[in-house]
Amino acid sequence: MKAKELRAKYIEFFKENGHAEIKSAPLIPDNDPTVLFTTAGMHPLVPYLLGEKHPLGTRLTDYQKCIRTGDIEEVGDPVHLTFFEMLGNWSLGDYFKVESIGYSFDFLTNERWLNIPLDRLAFTVFAGDEDAPFDEEAFNEWRKHGVSEKRIAKLPKKDNWWGPAGETGPCGPDTEIFYWTGPQPTPEVFDPSDKRWVEIWNNVFMQYFKNAEGKFEPLKQQNVDTGMGVERVTAILQGKASCYDTEIFAPLFAKLDELRGIETPAERTRSERIIVEHMRAATFIMGDGVTPGKVDQAYVLRRIIRRAIREAMKLELNKSFTVAMAQVVIDNYKDVYSELAINEKIILEEFEREERQFASALDRGTREFEKLIARVPAHIERKVISGKNAFNLYETYGFPIELTVEMAAEKGFTVDMEGYQKAFEKHQELSRQGAEQKFKGGLADHSDETARLHTATHMLHKALRIVLGDHVAQKGSNITAERLRFDFSHPDKMTPEQIAEVQKIVNEQIQRELPVICEEMTVDEARAAGAIGLFGDKYGERVKVYSIGDYSKEICGGPHAQNSKDLGEFIIQKEESSSRGVRRIKAIIKH
């Protein structure tokens, strides 16, 4: 079964079982200060898991684009990816464990759907501890479907518990489903430590709320949140050892071979896998409006593009290749994710520009390398480039460590690799903390102060369009209880006069004491009403539109103030560049 068919079958199955299909949210989270990217299928749905009403009801299903960069250095082995697609189905206070387990079992084993033999499957459930009891209900449900007790492992919280994402919040046990990838016959007893058992599906049962005292209280609204990785399951259904061996990556490998002028090799190297994976990820990130830069998502994007280019250098592919590879990604996915077709021209232009800029950076790095060499006196016998200097070449100039070692050897130098590794690991930990902080929900929290600042972003967005023009569109926001950060499309630095005018407009509208009204309507109705929104695949058939009096109208979710008078004085603290063509405003409200 190919990935395209897997997606279609999954959606068809859950629609037949009363679920409404929702569209994939962008890779850049709306109003989330805790993560740089959408890291899981449930990520965009947190407000509704917390009790907010979803316009399409209580049963939902979709396939969601995701980026995870915590293990970026592991990409290139047979399993790790930065970009992947997650299939999901949700119950928002509707069905619970019995139905969720039943749906999973039916979809996996029914001959109409995936037709996986039960003999190839195993399951885990929460074993219980002092906070919550053994999940006997999940255990018994699997038994009712004919699963042997020897194939159900009872595991502790570190293995079979989700959340809470912050210090407090919704949480609960989960049950995970595993597939045997080893030789037949399948072992009679399930050993979760055996890596040949591969997890394919996770059903999370949100039934508790962890309060400030650390106590676990039953939730009033019990939810189900599930996730199944498209790439991993496609490989399993095709009997492949790796997702890199499926049709998902085949066209990219073919293009890479063509660019190199070689025949298809029997096995793929780590460098080849890094190139195709990173090119797919980078194309999708740019498809959602990010351009390479020095901070946040823009930095991660630049990092993975340049890593792909460095790996191409190892393969002696020294000519421009990223545009051709990106075109393959666009052509293969544009029917599923229309934003790739819409932004095709920009994506290809940015790849061409970034590849050119990296070539220039390598030239600068080479000159810096020569300066390092020149500073070492000729009479010193043991000539060493320090780990700190080697890492600076990598971090500041994008200079590959392999190239530093090679050039150093030519000059009779060695490189302090232990010092380099320590500097690199420190940087990696900081990057992981910045890019993959533990998920905390749609906003930093749902406090009144955060809701007021969330409302202020709507008013800021409208004021920017008034002062700068209708080309202004939101490119991301980061909201806590203390301040807001708002990214928007605009090619130039704002003048002090423009900043002052935007601040003045927002405060004038705050003082008008405008009511904040939420209405549910179709996308067409929202468009006709003049609501601001990225119309298209991001939204389902019905959306929530928040109006702030007669001033602002915007598609949105999450908490808002009830009246503009609740906000206080709006103060812009800083306006700066975020990435190419994107500006950033940082602001507070003062009571």
Side-chain angles (χ1 to χ4, degrees), residues 32-52:
D32 189 344
T34 66
V35 288
L36 293 180
F37 295 101
T38 298
T39 59
M42 53 76 68
H43 194 156
L45 290 171
V46 167
Y48 310 107
L49 295 170
L50 292 173
E52 188 172 335

Side-chain angles (χ1 to χ4, degrees), residues 25-28 65 283-290 339-340 343 475:
L27 287 169
I28 314 306
K65 302 177 295 185
T283 303
F284 269 96
I285 294 171
M286 283 203 268
D288 279 338
V290 179
E339 61 272 15
L340 294 176
N343 296 314
K475 290 296 184 180

